[in-house]
C-alpha cells in the first residue's frame, strides 16, 4: 500500500462542518484492492489479539463488536486503517471516534478520513496505522506500544497545557471561537476587534508591573509586609557570606529557593545545618543568580487561587511521597504508585508520574535511605521538597473550609500585588483558623498559577476555575465574534466580495476582506496574491482592528484544510459551473457543489444562505440547509423566483432595469442598474448578478436600502478597485478590456457583454490552463471564436503538466468547432501579445485580454495609456 498524501483539515470541511479536526489520507491500496479482509487468512484473529478494545467499535452495524463482524464478512483495508488510526489515538489517551473511508474515482485509491485531538498526533497515526495494517496482513510482529508512547510524547510536546486547555474548553462551551497563535500556549479568544488573548494563565488584562512584582520575591515580600500581611522572615543571598549573615538573623531550619524560580525548581526545604545550606545555595543558583533564604515554617502547603480579585479555589498540596508497607523497597513503592490510573505521562492525567531526580536523592540521603531501602509499615517517605503537581505531588480541595478572615486576606493580596489571576502560597497548620491565630504565613504570590490542582484534585470537589477567567474576559453582553460574510461560487466571487466590503465600509465598519488578488484591511493591501484560503481568513480574524469580515472562499482552500472560521453569519454561492473538474477527486458538478456547500452549511442557525435561484446545484443545496435561505435571480419571472417570493422568502431580482428585493407581493427597488457603474451601463449582465447577491447580503445584514444604493453608485470598477474584473482602458482610437475569465461560464459572460459593444474589429487574447479538462479548454476556445474576429493565442504560464503545443492544439480544435472563420496568430508571451495587439489596433477596435495573471496585463496596458496621454498633453 502507498500513501499518496496526508493533510489536516482544521475547520468546517466537505466531510463534516461539526467535526472540524480531521485527517484526510489519500491511500492507494495497490494489490490489497483485490484482497478484502475475509481473503486474508487469520486477519480477524490477529487484529482482535492486537486490539481487543476494538470490540467497542460498532461501525455501521450499530452493535458492540460490529467492526469485527465487518472484518469477518470482508471489508477493504482503507476501512480497517481508519479504525486502527482511531484506536491507537484512543489508547494513547486521546479519545476520538469519527471516521469515513470513501473510494475515489481512481480504482483502488481511497480517502481515509478520521478525527484527531492533536494534529501532529493525527498525522503520525495516519502513517502508523498503515504500518500496523501491513504487519497484520503479513502476520509479522509489531510493537504497537512504541507507537502509542511516541504519540504521547508528541502530544506532550505540542498540546496546550492543562490550565490553557481548561480556559479554551470553557470558551468553546460558551460558543466563543479560539485561535492558537503559534505553537506555544498563546491563544486568541474571539475574532477581530472583540478578541482577548492569554498565555497559560496570563491574560491581556494582566498588569505587567504586577507580574514583575510577583516574579521578584523580595519585592513581593516587602510589599506584603508593608500591608501588614504575615510573611516568612529572611533575606537575599548571592554568596556564602550573605547566607551566613541571614542564617545568623533567622536561625535554622531554613528554606532556600531561587529568587526568580517557579514550579519549585531549585528549592531546598527544611535545611538544618550550614553544610546543607551551602549545597542548597549552589543548587538554587543554577536557576537564579540571587537566592532567597527564609525561615522554614512548619505546617501544610496551601495554594489559594484568586481571579478578578475574588477567591475561587483553595487546595492543600502534598509533595510526592510513598507510604511504606514493611515489604517493598522505595523504588518498588514508586513503581506501584505510578500504576495509579490517575497518574500519567506529563499532563495527560490528573496526577503526574513520580520520577527520581537530584531532589529525591537529596531527601533520601538526609534520611540515610536509598531507593532499595524498605520503609517501615505506614512510614511516609517524601520524595520531593516541593508540593508541585508537575513533580508528582497531590492536592486536596479545601475551598469550603477557608475562614472568612483568610478569604479577605487572600483577596486583599491580589489587589496589593495587582494580579488579575493570582496564586497565593500559604504555609499553615490549616486554613480554618485565621493565619494570625495559627502562626501561618504567605510564602509566595504567583503570576500565571497552574489550574490543574483545582480542576482535578486527588481528593475533594473539582472546581471549574476556568469559568471566572472567561467571566472576566467576556462579561455579560460583551460579544466575542464579529460579523462574517463568506462568498463562494465558480464566477463572480471576488467582485461580490469587494462590493460587499465597500458597502460595509460605507456603513461605518472597519472591514477586512480576502480576495483572489490579496488581503485587505479597510482597502489597504496587506498581502498580495491569491488569498482565498483558510490561512488568509484567519489573518483577518486575528487582526485586532477588524470589525467586520468579508471572506472570498475558494474551492482549493476548502479541500486543502477546510474553512478558516467556525461559522459565518451570511454565506453566498454565486453560481456553480464546470471549472477545476478532474482535480483533487472533484470530477462532476455534484462533487464541486459538495465543496461549495461547505460554506453555507457552516452558517449559524439564524443566519442566511444566499443562493442563485437559476442554478440547479444551488437549489439542491438549499434543501440540506438548516439556516434561513434567500435567493437572487436575473429573471423576475423565473418560476423558482416567483415560487420563493410567493412562499414569503426574500428574493433579489433584476426587474424593469432595477435591482429589486421582493418578498411576497411587495418590492423594494434599491437602484436602477444603469446607475451602478459596475454593470457597465447595464450591459454586463453577469455583473448585475453579482450586484444582486451583494445587495441581498447587505439588506439581510440590516443595512438601510438608501445606504446600499449610495454604495452601489460609488463603487467604481477600475484596475485599482476591481483588478481583472471588466477593466476597460479607453485609448484615443480603440479600447482594451482586461478580465480574469478563465472558464466557459466566464467566457459566456464576456460574450454577452461584447454582443452590445460596437467595434470595427473585436480582437481576443486568450490562453488555456493546463490542469483543466480537454473539453473545458476547447469550449473556451469555441466561445472565443464566436465573440472575436481575430484571436491571439498566447501560452507561457499555467501549463501544469502539459506542453505549450498540447494546449495550443486544443485551443485550435475548439476554434475550428465553432464553425466561424476567425483569423488567429500565436504569440506565446503575454507581454508581447498585448503589445502586438495595441500597436496594430485599427480605429474603433475593441481588444479583450482574458488573462490569468491580471496584474501583468494591467501594468502593460496602463503604461501604453499613460504614454499616449503624455504625448497628447
Amino acid at each position: 500500500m502507498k500513501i499518496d498524501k496526508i493533510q489536516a483539515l482544521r475547520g468546517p470541511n466537505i466531510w463534516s462542518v461539526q467535526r472540524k479536526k480531521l485527517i484526510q489520507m489519500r491511500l492507494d491500496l495497490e494489490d490489497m484492492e483485490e484482497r478484502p479482509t475475509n481473503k486474508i487468512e487469520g486477519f480477524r484473529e490477529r487484529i482482535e489479539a492486537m486490539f481487543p478494545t476494538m470490540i467497542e467499535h460498532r461501525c455501521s452495524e450499530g452493535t458492540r463488536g460490529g467492526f469485527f463482524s465487518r472484518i469477518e464478512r470482508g471489508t477493504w483495508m482503507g476501512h480497517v486503517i481508519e479504525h486502527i488510526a482511531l484506536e491507537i489515538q484512543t489508547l494513547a489517551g486521546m479519545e476520538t471516534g469519527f471516521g469515513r473511508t470513501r473510494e475515489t474515482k481512481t480504482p483502488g485509491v481511497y480517502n481515509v478520513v478520521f478525527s484527531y485531538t492533536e494534529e501532529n498526533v493525527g498525522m503520525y497515526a495516519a502513517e502508523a496505522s498503515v504500518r500496523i495494517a501491513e504487519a497484520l496482513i503479513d502476520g509479522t510482529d509489531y510493537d504497537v506500544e512504541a507507537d502509542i508512547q511516541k504519540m504521547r510524547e508528541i502530544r506532550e510536546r505540542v498540546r496546550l497545557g492543562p490550565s490553557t486547555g481548561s480556559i479554551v474548553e470553557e470558551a468553546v462551551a460558551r460558543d466563543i471561537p479560539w485561535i492558537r497563535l503559534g505553537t506555544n500556549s498563546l491563544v486568541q479568544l474571539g475574532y477581530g476587534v472583540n478578541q482577548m488573548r492569554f498565555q497559560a494563565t496570563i491574560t491581556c488584562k494582566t498588569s505587567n508591573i504586577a507580574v514583575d512584582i510577583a516574579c521578584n520575591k523580595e519585592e513581593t515580600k516587602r510589599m506584603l509586609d508593608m500591608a501588614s500581611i504575615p510573611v516568612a522572615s529572611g533575606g537575599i543571598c548571592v554568596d556564602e557570606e550573605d547566607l551566613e549573615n541571614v542564617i545568623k538573623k533567622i536561625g535554622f531550619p531554613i528554606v532556600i529557593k531561587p529568587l526568580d524560580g517557579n514550579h519549585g525548581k531549585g528549592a531546598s526545604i527544611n535545611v538544618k545545618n550550614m553544610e546543607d545550606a551551602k549545597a542548597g545555595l549552589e543548587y538554587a543558583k543554577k536557576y537564579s543568580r540571587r537566592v532567597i533564604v527564609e525561615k522554614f515554617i512548619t505546617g501544610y502547603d496551601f495554594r489559594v487561587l484568586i481571579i478578578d480579585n475574588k477567591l475561587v479555589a483553595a487546595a492543600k498540596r502534598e509533595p510526592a511521597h510513598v507510604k511504606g508497607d514493611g515489604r517493598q523497597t522505595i523504588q518498588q513503592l514508586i513503581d506501584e504508585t505510578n500504576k495509579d490510573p490517575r497518574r500519567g505521562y506529563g499532563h495527560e492525567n490528573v496526577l503526574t508520574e513520580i520520577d527520581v531526580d537530584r531532589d529525591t536523592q537529596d531527601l533520601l540521603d538526609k534520611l540515610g535511605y536509598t531507593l532499595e531501602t524498605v520503609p517501615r509499615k505506614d512510614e511516609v517517605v517524601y520524595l520531593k521538597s516541593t508540593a508541585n503537581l508537575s513533580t508528582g505531588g497531590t492536592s486536596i480541595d479545601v475551598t469550603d473550609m477557608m475562614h472568612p478572615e483568610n478569604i479577605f486576606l487572600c483577596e486583599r493580596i491580589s489587589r496589593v500585588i495587582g494580579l488579575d489571576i493570582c496564586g497565593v502560597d500559604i504555609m499553615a497548620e490549616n486554613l480554618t483558623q485565621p493565619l494570625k491565630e495559627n502562626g501561618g504565613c504567605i510564602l509566595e504570590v504567583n503570576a500565571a498559577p497552574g489550574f490543574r490542582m483545582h480542576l482535578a484534585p486527588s481528593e475533594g470537589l473539582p472546581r471549574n476555575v476556568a469559568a471566572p477567567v472567561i467571566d472576566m474576559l467576556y462579561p455579560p453582553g460583551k460579544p466575542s465574534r464579529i460579523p462574517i460574510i463568506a462568498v463562494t461560487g465558480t464566477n463572480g466571487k471576488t467582485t461580490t466580495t469587494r462590493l460587499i466590503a465597500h458597502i460595509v465600509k460605507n456603513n461605518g465598519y472597519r472591514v477586512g476582506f480576502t480576495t483572489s488578488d490579496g488581503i485587505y484591511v479597510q482597502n489597504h493591501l496587506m498581502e498580495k496574491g491569491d488569498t482565498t484560503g483558510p490561512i488568509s481568513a484567519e489573518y483577518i480574524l486575528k487582526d485586532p482592528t477588524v470589525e467586520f469580515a468579508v471572506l472570498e472562499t475558494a474551492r482549493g482552500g476548502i479541500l486543502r484544510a477546510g474553512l478558516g472560521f467556525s461559522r459565518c453569519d451570511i454565506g453566498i454561492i454565486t453560481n456553480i459551473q464546470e471549472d477545476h473538474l478532474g482535480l483533487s477527486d472533484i470530477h462532476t458538478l455534484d462533487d464541486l457543489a459538495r465543496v461549495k456547500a461547505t460554506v453555507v452549511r457552516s452558517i449559524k442557525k439564524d443566519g442566511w444562505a444566499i443562493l442563485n435561484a437559476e442554478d440547479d446545484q444551488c437549489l439542491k443545496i438549499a434543501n440540506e440547509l438548516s439556516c434561513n435561505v434567500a435567493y437572487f435571480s436575473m429573471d423576475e419571472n423565473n418560476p423558482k423566483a416567483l415560487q420563493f417570493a410567493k412562499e414569503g422568502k426574500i428574493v433579489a431580482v433584476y426587474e424593469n432595469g432595477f435591482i429589486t428585493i421582493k418578498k411576497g407581493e411587495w418590492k423594494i427597488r434599491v437602484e436602477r442598474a444603469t446607475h451602478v457603474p459596475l454593470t457597465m451601463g447595464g450591459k454586463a449582465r453577469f455583473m448585475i448578478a453579482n450586484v444582486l447577491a451583494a445587495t441581498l447580503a447587505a439588506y439581510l445584514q440590516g443595512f438601510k436600502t438608501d445606504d446600499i444604493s449610495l454604495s452601489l453608485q460609488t463603487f467604481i470598477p477600475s484596475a485599482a478597485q476591481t483588478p481583472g474584473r471588466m477593466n476597460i482602458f479607453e485609448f484615443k482610437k480603440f479600447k482594451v478590456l482586461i478580465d480574469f475569465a478563465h472558464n466557459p461560464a466566464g467566457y459566456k459572460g464576456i460574450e454577452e457583454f461584447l454582443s452590445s459593444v460596437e467595434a470595427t474589429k473585436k480582437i481576443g487574447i486568450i490562453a488555456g490552463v493546463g490542469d483543466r479538462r480537454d473539453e473545458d479548454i476547447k469550449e473556451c476556445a469555441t466561445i472565443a471564436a464566436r465573440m472575436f474576429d481575430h484571436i491571439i493565442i498566447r501560452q507561457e504560464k499555467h501549463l501544469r503538466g502539459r506542453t505549450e503545443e498540447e494546449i495550443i492544439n486544443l485551443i485550435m480544435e475548439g476554434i475550428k468547432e465553432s464553425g466561424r472563420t476567425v483569423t488567429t496568430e500565436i504569440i506565446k508571451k503575454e507581454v508581447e501579445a498585448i503589445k502586438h495587439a495595441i500597436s496594430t489596433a485599427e480605429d474603433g477596435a475593441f481588444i479583450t485580454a482574458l488573462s490569468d495573471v491580471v496584474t501583468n496585463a494591467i501594468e502593460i496596458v496602463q503604461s501604453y495609456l499613460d504614454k499616449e496621454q503624455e504625448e497628447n498633453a
Side-chain angles (χ1 to χ4, degrees), residues 270-377:
N270 197 15
V271 176
K272 296 178 179 176
N273 58 64
M274 187 59 72
E275 184 182 347
D276 289 344
K278 290 177 181 178
L281 176 67
E282 288 307 309
Y283 181 43
K285 287 186 74 173
K286 290 181 181 179
Y287 297 91
S288 174
R289 189 179 69 83
R290 302 173 75 207
V291 173
I292 193 163
V293 177
E294 293 177 337
K295 185 74 176 176
F296 176 67
I297 309 296
T298 57
Y300 296 102
D301 185 339
F302 295 95
R303 163 63 65 82
V304 178
L305 181 65
I306 302 99
I307 297 174
D308 202 16
N309 304 129
K310 296 181 183 65
L311 185 139
V312 296
K316 178 182 174 183
R317 302 187 297 176
E318 199 163 11
H321 63 276
V322 291
K323 196 172 186 180
D325 61 4
R327 293 181 297 102
Q328 297 185 87
T329 66
I330 291 172
Q331 183 62 65
Q332 288 171 330
L333 290 168
I334 291 172
D335 294 340
E336 194 65 32
T337 301
N338 283 341
K339 289 179 184 176
D340 184 339
R342 295 176 302 170
R343 290 190 184 271
Y345 181 82
H347 288 150
E348 71 178 351
N349 284 348
V350 176
L351 300 173
T352 299
E353 291 176 351
I354 301 170
D355 66 343
V356 176
D357 59 9
R358 177 195 177 281
D359 191 22
T360 308
Q361 297 288 2
D362 285 351
L363 290 171
L364 294 178
D365 289 347
K366 287 176 183 176
L367 296 170
Y369 288 177
T370 70
L371 290 170
E372 300 308 311
T373 301
V374 177
R376 299 185 307 278
K377 184 173 172 54

Side-chain angles (χ1 to χ4, degrees), residues 482-517:
I482 59 173
I484 298 174
I485 297 179
V487 184
T488 194
T490 303
N491 294 314
K493 299 186 295 294
T494 300
T495 302
T496 304
T497 298
R498 282 180 167 277
L499 179 53
I500 293 170
H502 178 73
I503 297 169
V504 170
K505 179 175 175 285
N506 285 355
N507 276 271
Y509 288 90
R510 183 175 290 273
V511 62
F513 59 99
T514 61
T515 70
S516 57
D517 52 80

Side-chain angles (χ1 to χ4, degrees), residues 107 120 201 585 647 661 814 830:
N120 292 25
T201 57
D585 296 320
E647 290 172 356
I661 294 171
E830 181 182 45

Side-chain angles (χ1 to χ4, degrees), residues 59-73:
C59 203
S60 56
E61 306 289 295
T63 57
R64 191 170 183 265
F67 175 59
F68 287 146
S69 299
R70 288 289 305 276
I71 288 176
E72 191 71 38
R73 293 202 311 274

Side-chain angles (χ1 to χ4, degrees), residues 734 761 763 765 790-793 824-827 829-842 847 860 864:
F734 58 89
K761 189 175 185 180
I763 301 165
I765 303 171
H790 178 71
I791 295 176
I792 300 171
I793 302 168
T824 62
E825 58 185 316
I826 299 170
I827 301 175
K829 290 192 175 180
E830 181 182 45
V831 173
E832 299 304 320
I834 294 173
K835 286 180 178 179
H836 173 71
I838 290 175
S839 60
T840 59
E842 58 190 60
I847 302 168
I860 297 161
Y864 269 87

